Amino acid sequence: MNNNKRSKLSTVPSSRPIRVGFVGLTSGKSWVAKTHFLAIQQLSSQFQIVALYNPTLKSSLQTIEQLQLKHATGFDSLESFAQYKDIDMIVVSVKVPEHYEVVKNILEHSSQNLNLRYLYVEWALAASVQQAEELYSISQQRANLQTIICLQGRKSPYIVRAKELISEGCIGDINSIEISGNGGWYGYERPMRSPEYLYDIESGVNLISNSFGHTIDVLQYITGSYFQKINAMISNNIPTQFLLDENGKRTKETISKTCPDHLLFQGILENGKVPVSCSFKGGTPVKKLTKNLVIDIHGTKGDLKIEGDAGFVEISNLVLYFYGIKNGNGSSNGTDNNGAAAIKDKEKVTKSPSPSTGTSEEEQTMEVFHLRNYNSVVGNILRIYESIADYHFLGKPESKSSRGPDDLFASTKFDKQGFRFEGFPTFKDAIILHRLIDAVFRSDKEEKTLDVSKIMI
Amino acid sequence: MNNNKRSKLSTVPSSRPIRVGFVGLTSGKSWVAKTHFLAIQQLSSQFQIVALYNPTLKSSLQTIEQLQLKHATGFDSLESFAQYKDIDMIVVSVKVPEHYEVVKNILEHSSQNLNLRYLYVEWALAASVQQAEELYSISQQRANLQTIICLQGRKSPYIVRAKELISEGCIGDINSIEISGNGGWYGYERPMRSPEYLYDIESGVNLISNSFGHTIDVLQYITGSYFQKINAMISNNIPTQFLLDENGKRTKETISKTCPDHLLFQGILENGKVPVSCSFKGGTPVKKLTKNLVIDIHGTKGDLKIEGDAGFVEISNLVLYFYGIKNGNGSSNGTDNNGAAAIKDKEKVTKSPSPSTGTSEEEQTMEVFHLRNYNSVVGNILRIYESIADYHFLGKPESKSSRGPDDLFASTKFDKQGFRFEGFPTFKDAIILHRLIDAVFRSDKEEKTLDVSKIMI
């Protein structure tokens, strides 16, 4: 299989594009402008921005002008925005602490707006598991509203390729995993302009929800397994940070920080009882001797290593190293590389019979995957939009039945991506991750190893 | 400081060498013959083998002849051996499950033998913490008997150099540590001749006591800190092993295994509250993408990486990578390298002022330490013998006062090495490690994070 193929919709669909309304698209410098907006620009035959909500109308109108959104209407009322009949999809990209209010409002006010089919929210879904559960519960009552959560690391070509290699048996049975990540900014210094909520434990955005959350989601996705039990230790060893001036120079000013700067996490995956060791930290990000993100996956017949320059797997351009069995269990053409994952280096080794590994009849191979010019910040999010378009125009991810592009509203609700290659993560995937993160905090607080096998939906 | 210097006793001492009696030296192929015996051969002016105990006299006499131990007497009674007046030191190197009986017997029968000054036992001290506590307790009643435990990893030049760099502030304050190790044989296959007790959880010799035990001892030694709290998860995911024939080929025979093949360990060091993440496994030892032993130590001003080809830090020839501040805090000539640790590669970087790291006025340097021909199996043990000789002929490790070589019996008992550069680990060091390992098993069993701050003596 090649699961790294781009969208099937290479030509312009004959029906109209998905009409998108944004919450939080404010200017050319905002996160959403540098990610979602650029992704949509590249998919202009499938998506069209038709509405913006921001707290002031002025801000929306300025953005419409600045980004030349000629089809877009500005809103300063979330109620009217959610009721706008010409919207197919709403994208929420505001600060996480605001998610709960915004998403709840949208869900309530759009209840009679049957045209609204998609609700796409940035990770984390909410600032706490309780808020997230409530939003999930409300969304479940909406039969025709498809939720999407932006756990875009799952769409990274490196992650998809790693999942492919594992699912084809190219490293045999996984027996051990180690992860270490450095989530840069949760450290000794804070840029003057950096928003306060990033350093506030109450905001729900921190090293654990963010660096760890995205990474462990990706790990579960790659391995096709949730956790059976976990233990965590959380440290705030840097309760005071130095403020940096606009040139990045340390000032004499300090500021307190309540969010953690270190997470120790270990656990056993349900599937194969695989032990996973994980260390995430803020602090000094530049390292000479190791990468700021390393995921080592060891199997009975080979190994995978994923490396990145920062502990943010979802937005980093990665390198994937693979040493193992060519063509896996032989059931598919696994190492076919016509897809997006380019191979820079490929070394094939026909090993002499090696009794001690028990792989004497299997051809071993080594590969390094890296896409030099891959823009992972935009690219992974773009691949979620592509999956939405495929779902919308071609039908549900799991059904391969041919459905015409006119079949706009025939697709029924997509439950969760789970460990599927196709599709996109949904609120259900988000809830499972929220519950795991909640267990991480509880394990630390209660000083216990916790059974988490019941957190799945 | 240069703590990697060899023994001060470069010339032959004017007094007689330390007279050594061995328990377990049987032939040229035994572990003790390939390690302790070779070490003593290189230190023949300081040590002389004068007695052998083995269960049969024949075995001892054969060994005396084979190894040309012309000063040695053979014993088949542990009682007579322990009472032999011409012995200064007894070395116990038998299977760990036998330690308790042998050491207890020696301690009891030698109680009136005031000539016996040193008792040197291989790690682990005993098969269980209870047995070890009892041996320690008995040994404590002997005012003039100096105990030594063979935690020889502490004497590895790489470990000493790493400790030196840290203690001189060359990587600033440590803020995170990750360890992963692969203890080869606790895996899918077992050589036919491999002794059964190595795979039996009851024997007290396993991945945890051995691979993890030596490594975590070294880690505590390097960082100068014990643990405050720990959590562990122990797995026996390979309860059945394939037997290998004499050529290393898999047979169809399988055999059950009760010892663990995986340990997840995480904890917080007392000193600086440093989070430590640790994963030890058996299984497939040969890896292409990472080393079988990796210790990453991250500090505010630099990093250390220790790599080895196997998860046995105490017998592996290592490579030490250092990136950090030259001369540390300037209080000593830390990067002086006249000692044993050769520098293969040395890159000095005078960095342009870098406000974001706060090290603008400090010269950064990168070094790779590796002794290509260092025989770590013999060398680390030899360095313990050197320390014993220094202690014996020159006085207690912590006192630098000049004491003549004639002052043979003036040195009083050396309590524990703890985190000192000089000296050697004692039974007290062994007990602290035994208690930590016991806590590891309890943490797994009770599914708790345990406070271990009280296990020190």
Side-chain angles (χ1 to χ4, degrees), chain A residues 352-426:
Chain A
S352 55
S354 159
S356 69
T357 61
T359 58
S360 54
E361 286 159 30
E362 291 164 323
E363 191 184 355
Q364 295 190 294
T365 186
M366 186 182 275
E367 292 175 12
V368 181
F369 293 73
H370 182 63
L371 301 158
R372 191 185 294 264
N373 297 316
Y374 183 66
N375 180 340
S376 48
V377 175
V378 176
N380 298 345
I381 287 178
L382 182 142
R383 283 161 156 253
I384 287 194
Y385 278 102
E386 284 184 330
S387 297
I388 297 169
D390 284 346
Y391 172 80
H392 183 79
F393 294 110
L394 303 174
K396 287 183 73 182
E398 65 264 50
S399 84
K400 299 260 181 181
S401 65
S402 61
R403 301 179 56 207
D406 293 328
D407 212 4
L408 254 179
F409 298 101
S411 61
T412 55
K413 209 161 153 184
F414 178 40
D415 193 31
K416 67 175 175 183
Q417 182 179 28
F419 305 134
R420 288 187 194 92
F421 281 102
E422 299 200 7
F424 39 77
T426 70

Side-chain angles (χ1 to χ4, degrees), chain A residues 178 189 281 289 305 356, chain B residues 178 189 281 289 305 356:
Chain A
E178 297 122 30
E189 297 167 334
K281 55 202 156 287
L289 305 179
K305 187 191 275 285
S356 69
Chain B
E178 297 122 31
E189 297 167 334
K281 56 200 155 287
L289 305 179
K305 187 191 276 286
S356 68

Side-chain angles (χ1 to χ4, degrees), chain B residues 230-246:
Chain B
I230 63 125
N231 178 269
M233 297 184 198
I234 298 170
S235 305
N236 181 10
N237 283 343
I238 314 168
T240 306
Q241 299 178 298
F242 282 98
L243 277 177
L244 302 182
D245 66 19
E246 297 194 355

